[in-house]
Amino acid sequence: GVVPVAWLFDTVGPIARSAEDCALILQAIAGHDPRDPTTEDAPVPPYADELGHGITGLRVGVVRALFESDLLDSRIGAALEGALAELRSAGAVLVDVAIDQLEHFGAIQQAMQFVEAATAHREWLATRLPDYGEDVRARLLTGLFLPPTAYVLGQQGRRLAHEAFRRALDGVD
C-alpha cells in the first residue's frame, strides 16, 4: 500500500494537460468528505464554468514574506515574479498580504509532520532503514524521538496558523 508522509499534510490536487482538465478533476475531488475532518462542508463551485471569463479585477493575495526567504532558490523567485507579472497583465489586482506569526509556522508544521511521518513509516524504519536517503532518514528518526507534547502543541499552533491565514486572506479572492 501507499505509505503517507503525514496524514494532515498529504493532500490530493489535480495535475493535468490543461486548465479545463484540471477544472474537471477538481470538480470531482473537491468538497466535504465525511471521512476527512479537515475538509470543509461548503458548496463546491462549478470550476469548469469559470474558465474563459478572464481574471480582470480578481484580487490575488501575495505573501511577500515567502518571496523574501533566504531559502528560496533565485530561479523559483524569478518564476514567481514572472507569474505575478502575467497575472497583473491579465487584469488581476495584486494585493500584498501579511500573515501574523508566519515565521513560526514552519516549526509547527515540522513538529507535527515529523511525528506523523515517523509513525506512518515505523515498520519500514525498523526493517528498511538503509533504503531512506540521509535527509529523510534524519527527519523520520527525529520524529520518533519528539515527545507527544510536541504534536499536541503543534495541533494548537496549527489552529492559530489556520486563523491567521483566514484573516490575512479574507480581503482577496
Side-chain angles (χ1 to χ4, degrees):
V2 175
V3 177
V5 174
W7 298 280
L8 286 178
F9 300 99
D10 285 358
T11 58
V12 66
I15 298 176
R17 292 175 302 199
S18 67
E20 292 82 8
D21 288 351
C22 273
L24 292 171
I25 295 169
L26 186 57
Q27 188 71 46
I29 65 174
H32 180 62
D33 180 347
R35 295 173 299 169
D36 183 351
T38 65
T39 62
E40 192 170 331
D41 193 6
V44 176
Y47 295 107
D49 294 351
E50 297 297 320
L51 296 172
H53 292 155
I55 61 170
T56 300
L58 186 74
R59 294 174 52 82
V60 177
V62 179
V63 183
R64 284 275 163 206
L66 296 174
F67 287 60
E68 297 163 355
S69 169
D70 293 339
L71 302 174
L72 182 67
D73 184 295
S74 62
R75 296 167 295 179
I76 302 295
L80 289 170
E81 291 294 348
L84 292 176
E86 287 290 327
L87 288 169
R88 192 179 300 109
S89 71
V93 177
L94 303 183
V95 179
D96 284 344
V97 173
I99 300 175
D100 294 335
Q101 305 294 316
L102 180 64
E103 66 275 11
H104 302 294
F105 296 156
I108 291 167
Q109 181 266 336
Q110 285 185 344
M112 294 173 61
Q113 187 173 22
F114 286 7
V115 172
E116 286 189 8
T119 302
H121 288 255
R122 192 175 187 117
E123 182 181 331
W124 284 7
L125 286 170
T127 60
R128 301 175 59 179
L129 189 61
D131 292 344
Y132 290 97
E134 189 175 323
D135 58 336
V136 174
R137 185 172 49 239
R139 288 183 178 104
L140 292 172
L141 292 175
T142 298
L144 286 177
F145 295 103
L146 285 172
T149 52
Y151 191 80
V152 172
L153 290 171
Q155 285 283 3
Q156 293 168 345
R158 181 175 180 260
R159 278 193 294 280
L160 295 173
H162 181 78
E163 285 307 312
F165 272 86
R166 246 197 209 307
R167 281 190 309 274
L169 299 175
D170 191 38
V172 296
D173 298 311

